[in-house]
Amino acid sequence: TLLALGRAAEAAEAWETVAKALPDNFNARLQLADAWQRAGRLDRSGPHLIAALAMDPDHIQTRFRLAMQYAQAGMHGEASE
């Protein structure tokens, strides 16, 4: 896969296409968030984690990943929510 080859930005662009075609697909949002995170683009990853949480608010792993991103960005108030 592109991620395995270290081509995270390209993987993210591919997942963007999928997410646009299937905007309510939870897995597409998670994969897209993961690819942007690996590309070092937390600003692009976060909104997709938020969208995934809107689809499944009880998904613990996604909540944790979003909290970690907030903490990395120094947004400690958001991280604790």
Side-chain angles (χ1 to χ4, degrees), residues 7-81:
R7 296 164 52 186
E10 288 177 67
E13 293 298 337
W15 278 109
E16 287 280 2
T17 301
V18 174
K20 285 178 185 167
L22 303 168
D24 296 325
N25 186 292
F26 181 80
N27 186 55
R29 293 295 184 149
L30 286 183
Q31 294 297 327
L32 179 52
D34 184 49
W36 280 127
Q37 184 178 16
R38 290 183 189 207
R41 295 293 308 269
L42 299 183
D43 61 316
R44 305 250 346 234
S45 176
H48 296 291
L49 289 174
I50 292 167
L53 278 176
M55 293 176 217
D56 185 355
D58 297 324
H59 197 265
I60 300 300
Q61 183 182 15
T62 305
R63 284 192 168 283
F64 179 76
R65 287 179 59 192
L66 184 59
M68 292 302 293
Q69 281 195 14
Y70 283 148
Q72 285 178 325
M75 300 168 68
H76 301 288
E78 289 86 347
S80 64
E81 291 180 10

Side-chain angles (χ1 to χ4, degrees), residues 1-7 11:
T1 69
L2 290 170
L3 284 176
L5 295 172
R7 296 164 52 186

